[in-house]
Amino acid sequence: MRLSYYISKKIIQNSSNSFSSLIHKIAIWSIGIGLGLMIISFMILDGFQSTIRNKILQFSGDIYVNKYTLSNSYEEEPISTHNLLLEDITEFPNVESAYPVSHKPGLIKTDNEVSGVVIKGVQEDYKDSGFTNSIIDGQFPNLEGKKYSKEILISEEISNKLNITTGDEIIVYFIQNPPKARKLKISGIYYSGIEDFDDKMIIGDLRMLQKLNNWPDTLTGGIEVHLKSFNNLYIAEENLNEKLPHNLYVEPATSKFSDIFDWLNMLNTNVVVFLTLILAVASFNMISVVLILIMERTQMIGLMKAMGATNRLIRKIFAYQGILLIGKGLLLGNIIGIGFGFLQDTFHILPLDPESYYMSYVPIEWNFLTIVLLNVLTYITISLVLIIPTIIISRINPIKAIKFV
């Protein structure tokens, strides 16, 4: 065993009832609380971003393909379903699934209320996209019949606003020339927590919209693309642009909902600032702790120098002492961070206002690579700053240090 390491352990063991013991505890708790807060922050940030992103992608897909148009209307120019994306999806290695969809504006009128809505026409296989996870009452519309289905899925927001629920029949007026109306039955209610969807989006049969638009079944308003991994979004976008006809517009969700994704990216900056501040405070505390330990052991340092110990050896003693404290602090920090994450993920202790945050409780995302990297970053950063206070050891005069022994 190295002499410097042996002495540092003995100092810690023999200081259980001294002022040093209090300093050791302060150092350990300072590092532990700092690391715990960093782990919690990243788990919440990742959970927050993942929850909102998944909600958006469930409703809109990672990428939406439609025909180029200068109009901002919900009315779409039709595109053919006979294209490479729908006929041979293997040509696009990053694409998990692709669904023909169409959108059409309309009005729902009840005895007391009128509400503008957008009907999103889909096929039976659309329920495999993960959308059904958002259904809170009833079921996904039955779209398997030979004729178009008159069942629709509405949001909880629309249900509450118009006082309608699962099983009710309503009349939807479609804004076109000439105007048309359809009597439809509510098969279920969904909740996304995203205002852009909950405020107006209704899910119905694509064949109904094709009939209203006088389109054959080979035409659709667009194609909703779901990827195997969101991380490959821009690679998939480039691949689609290369292989699809040039009159089609490939729009990633990050562009279609740019305000939400810009907001999520801004949160990354806030967490980086928070991480920097926590590391700075923990490093400053550790410098202060080691300086106090050196001042308390000044006579010991003088004696060791008088007996021939080098500055390097003595600096190693206090560096090892600091590293041992860092190790205990990291252990405490992991207990705090992972423990809180487990409790919040299991019991949803901290609630949120769904109208403001798109979710009813603080979400937790488990990413053990991030936890490991935070441990490594904390260890390396604080270990490096230990060099600063140990420099003072070389300035201690052994004669003056042992003068009052």
Side-chain angles (χ1 to χ4, degrees):
M1 182 183 292
R2 290 185 178 182
L3 178 61
S4 53
Y5 179 71
Y6 175 77
I7 296 175
S8 65
K9 284 191 69 176
K10 285 295 182 180
I11 290 175
I12 293 176
Q13 291 171 0
N14 295 331
S15 60
S16 57
N17 296 319
S18 67
F19 177 69
S20 298
S21 175
L22 176 62
I23 298 301
H24 291 168
K25 290 176 182 177
I26 292 174
I28 292 169
W29 277 97
S30 172
I31 296 169
I33 292 173
L35 177 62
L37 289 175
M38 287 190 289
I39 291 174
I40 292 169
S41 298
F42 273 89
M43 286 196 296
I44 292 176
L45 173 68
D46 290 345
F48 196 70
Q49 290 179 324
S50 176
T51 300
I52 294 179
R53 182 175 64 242
N54 290 340
K55 284 177 178 288
I56 292 174
L57 300 185
Q58 281 180 4
F59 280 75
S60 69
D62 298 83
I63 296 173
Y64 189 66
V65 179
N66 62 351
K67 184 171 283 189
Y68 274 107
T69 177
L70 298 177
S71 173
N72 291 325
S73 170
Y74 280 104
E75 292 284 355
E76 298 166 316
E77 291 291 326
I79 63 175
S80 174
T81 56
H82 295 307
N83 62 64
L84 189 61
L85 180 57
L86 292 175
E87 293 182 340
D88 189 6
I89 200 172
T90 58
E91 288 290 325
F92 305 92
N94 294 306
V95 174
E96 178 73 30
S97 55
Y99 306 97
V101 299
S102 189
H103 300 83
K104 194 171 184 65
L107 287 171
I108 296 179
K109 185 179 183 303
T110 63
D111 294 337
N112 301 315
E113 295 285 347
V114 175
S115 179
V117 296
V118 176
I119 312 293
K120 179 177 180 178
V122 300
Q123 294 180 333
E124 175 67 19
D125 61 351
Y126 189 76
K127 63 184 179 183
D128 298 328
S129 67
F131 181 88
T132 52
N133 296 329
S134 300
I135 297 176
I136 59 174
D137 185 49
Q139 61 185 14
F140 193 82
N142 183 2
L143 309 177
E144 293 181 342
K146 293 183 178 180
K147 295 183 178 180
Y148 73 77
S149 172
K150 294 184 179 181
E151 292 185 351
I152 58 171
L153 192 69
I154 66 172
S155 70
E156 185 181 40
E157 174 75 17
I158 296 174
S159 172
N160 293 335
K161 183 164 56 176
L162 299 180
N163 195 26
I164 53 180
T165 189
T166 302
D168 290 351
E169 292 186 339
I170 58 173
I171 296 178
V172 180
Y173 297 88
F174 294 94
I175 304 169
Q176 60 184 77
N177 190 17
K180 295 183 179 180
R182 293 290 185 273
K183 189 175 184 179
L184 305 175
K185 184 177 181 180
I186 301 171
S187 68
I189 297 173
Y190 74 83
Y191 173 76
S192 72
I194 307 294
E195 185 179 358
D196 288 352
F197 302 123
D198 289 347
D199 193 45
K200 56 180 176 288
M201 191 68 69
I202 288 177
I203 305 299
D205 196 334
L206 173 62
R207 293 170 297 178
M208 177 176 67
L209 300 192
Q210 289 171 330
K211 188 173 182 63
L212 287 167
N213 292 329
N214 295 318
W215 295 348
D217 59 7
T218 57
L219 294 181
T220 186
I223 303 172
E224 192 172 291
V225 180
H226 294 256
L227 302 180
K228 296 175 181 177
S229 172
F230 182 77
N231 295 329
N232 296 325
L233 178 67
Y234 297 109
I235 297 175
E237 180 190 3
E238 184 178 348
N239 193 17
L240 288 166
N241 277 318
E242 288 176 356
K243 295 184 178 181
L244 292 179
H246 296 296
N247 66 331
L248 297 183
Y249 177 48
V250 178
E251 185 178 23
T254 51
S255 297
K256 193 173 184 179
F257 303 96
S258 58
D259 52 342
I260 295 178
F261 280 96
D262 288 344
W263 172 53
L264 292 178
N265 290 332
M266 185 178 66
L267 294 178
N268 289 329
T269 303
N270 295 340
V271 170
V272 170
V273 172
F274 178 73
L275 171 65
T276 304
L277 290 174
I278 290 292
L279 283 176
V281 170
S283 298
F284 178 79
N285 287 341
M286 201 63 201
I287 290 174
S288 302
V289 166
V290 174
L291 281 174
I292 292 172
L293 293 176
I294 290 173
M295 292 173 64
E296 189 184 36
R297 297 284 176 173
T298 300
Q299 293 177 342
M300 184 196 78
I301 295 171
L303 285 172
M304 291 187 68
K305 282 190 173 186
M307 291 187 294
T310 62
N311 287 326
R312 179 182 175 84
L313 174 64
I314 300 172
R315 288 174 67 177
K316 279 185 176 182
I317 292 173
F318 288 95
Y320 278 130
Q321 197 171 354
I323 290 173
L324 289 172
L325 296 177
I326 294 171
K328 293 180 179 179
L330 293 180
L331 177 61
L332 177 63
N334 282 287
I335 293 173
I336 293 172
I338 295 174
F340 171 84
F342 173 77
L343 292 175
Q344 177 61 25
D345 196 27
T346 305
F347 301 107
H348 304 159
I349 300 169
L350 300 180
L352 290 175
D353 179 10
E355 293 185 4
S356 301
Y357 296 98
Y358 308 127
M359 59 199 77
S360 58
Y361 59 88
V362 174
I364 295 295
E365 178 84 3
W366 293 98
N367 188 330
F368 290 101
L369 177 60
T370 298
I371 295 175
V372 170
L373 290 176
L374 285 174
N375 276 269
V376 172
L377 178 63
T378 303
Y379 179 81
I380 292 176
T381 302
I382 300 179
S383 296
L384 288 175
V385 301
L386 287 178
I387 298 172
I388 298 173
T390 57
I391 293 175
I392 198 174
I393 291 172
S394 61
R395 298 185 179 184
I396 294 178
N397 187 306
I399 296 176
K400 291 181 178 180
I402 62 177
K403 186 175 179 181
F404 300 102
V405 176

